[in-house]
Amino acid sequence: MPAVNTKSDKMLKRVFFYFGMVLLLFICLFPFFIMLMTAFKSSEEAIATNPTFFPEQWTLRHFVDIFNPDIFPYLTYLQNSFMVSLTASLISVGIAIFGAYALSRLNFRWRIQINASFYMVYMFSGILLIVPLFKLISGFGLYDTRTSLIIIMIVQTLPTAILMLNSYFETIPKDLEEAAKIDGLNRVKVIFYIIIPLSFAGLVSVFVYCFMVAWNDFLFASIFFSSSENFTLPVGLYSLFSTPDYVWGRMMAASIVTAIPVVIMYAISESLIKGNTTDGGVKG
């Protein structure tokens, strides 16, 4: 009898677990479902007094409109976002490799204090950095240029990138480096021939993180850009609110298309991370 009760309790817990997971998934995905359905509705149906979950008349008009330069220069904003995000991410990861390696492998004075200082970055909100960054960017004559946002995104993502790679580098066996040094490799070659190949999964994770931060940035892009031709996608979407072309369907369509590159990048990075492993690097 007690065994039956134990079995029924396990089944009940499993039912509640799956029910909770489905409910959580529904709550998380419901806003995206509404956004997707609104993108396929006509302008009149999207703002109707009696809303519907599914469009009564499906239309692709909003997706066509966002690629019309006279209505919304989406491709220009996409190019700006991609250039800023890709450049800032590559530079952040490149610098973070050497910074994280120094913190994880080298013994030098103030090493612990420097490592701890990266955690202090989280104590300061991004809005507190606007004034000093604005003075620096303006002083160098980089205001209203994509270079300014690239520099700011590097400043924003580099501390976290170093912390993430530092934790990953510490999991790589030191025996591999010692064996490489015996074979005649110096420390720089060890980084390029040993550390980077074995840290591929970590590098991809850090790159995706930096890219998403730069891709979704609105605060700094809205302050350091004044010309519409330099706008990134978040600022461009916001500017659409103040134009006569602002309609809900068009906004939802633009938001969906904007999210697609990040979703694709996340899917590719996940497959690359799963396909990479350091098992077997050191013989037992």
Side-chain angles (χ1 to χ4, degrees), residues 32-271:
F32 296 97
F33 169 77
I34 296 298
M35 181 175 67
L36 181 63
M37 293 299 101
T38 304
F40 290 101
K41 294 180 180 180
S42 63
S43 301
E44 295 77 12
E45 187 180 353
I47 59 174
T49 306
N50 298 321
T52 57
F53 284 108
F54 297 96
E56 295 180 358
Q57 294 182 348
W58 295 75
T59 178
L60 295 174
R61 177 62 182 275
H62 301 306
F63 290 92
V64 175
D65 287 346
I66 63 174
F67 290 101
N68 185 350
D70 296 330
I71 297 177
F72 184 66
Y74 180 84
L75 294 179
T76 300
Y77 298 156
L78 177 65
Q79 180 182 356
N80 293 337
S81 289
F82 188 79
M83 178 175 291
V84 170
S85 302
L86 181 63
T87 306
S89 302
L90 290 175
I91 295 176
S92 292
V93 173
I95 298 175
I97 290 173
F98 295 96
Y101 181 84
L103 292 175
S104 63
R105 291 293 193 266
L106 305 182
N107 293 319
F108 53 90
R109 190 179 183 183
W110 307 108
R111 172 176 171 270
I112 298 178
Q113 290 79 359
I114 293 175
N115 192 26
S117 66
F118 289 110
Y119 292 95
M120 295 182 61
V121 175
Y122 297 103
M123 299 175 59
F124 300 95
S125 173
I127 198 170
L128 298 177
L129 303 176
I130 290 178
V131 173
L133 286 175
F134 187 85
K135 288 183 174 295
L136 288 173
I137 294 299
S138 300
F140 286 109
L142 296 175
Y143 178 73
D144 197 24
T145 63
R146 286 180 292 191
T147 303
S148 64
L149 189 59
I150 291 173
I151 295 173
I152 293 171
M153 288 299 100
I154 294 173
V155 173
Q156 285 289 103
T157 58
L158 187 57
T160 305
I162 292 177
L163 286 177
M164 293 174 65
L165 287 181
N166 182 23
S167 301
Y168 199 89
F169 287 169
E170 290 178 351
T171 64
I172 299 177
K174 295 183 179 180
D175 295 344
L176 292 174
E177 296 184 46
E178 295 175 358
K181 291 178 182 178
I182 293 175
D183 292 337
L185 271 67
N186 56 32
R187 198 173 293 276
V188 176
K189 291 184 178 180
V190 166
I191 294 175
F192 282 100
Y193 292 107
I194 304 297
I195 299 299
I196 292 180
L198 293 180
S199 305
F200 182 75
L203 294 174
V204 171
S205 300
V206 174
F207 175 82
V208 172
Y209 163 78
C210 296
F211 188 91
M212 292 180 64
V213 170
W215 184 268
N216 296 319
D217 175 73
F218 172 79
L219 176 63
F220 294 102
S222 62
I223 292 175
F224 289 89
F225 287 154
S226 59
S227 303
S228 59
E229 60 268 16
N230 291 327
F231 284 174
T232 55
L233 280 172
V235 182
L237 290 174
Y238 177 78
S239 65
L240 195 59
F241 276 102
S242 59
T243 65
D245 299 307
Y246 162 62
V247 292
W248 279 110
R250 196 171 295 153
M251 286 294 300
M252 297 302 102
S255 300
I256 292 172
V257 177
T258 300
I260 290 177
V262 177
V263 174
I264 294 175
M265 176 171 291
Y266 180 81
I268 295 176
S269 65
E270 186 178 10
S271 63

Side-chain angles (χ1 to χ4, degrees), residues 3-15:
V4 175
N5 292 335
T6 303
K7 186 176 181 179
S8 61
D9 290 343
K10 289 183 178 179
M11 291 182 62
L12 186 62
K13 290 180 180 178
R14 186 174 298 178
V15 170

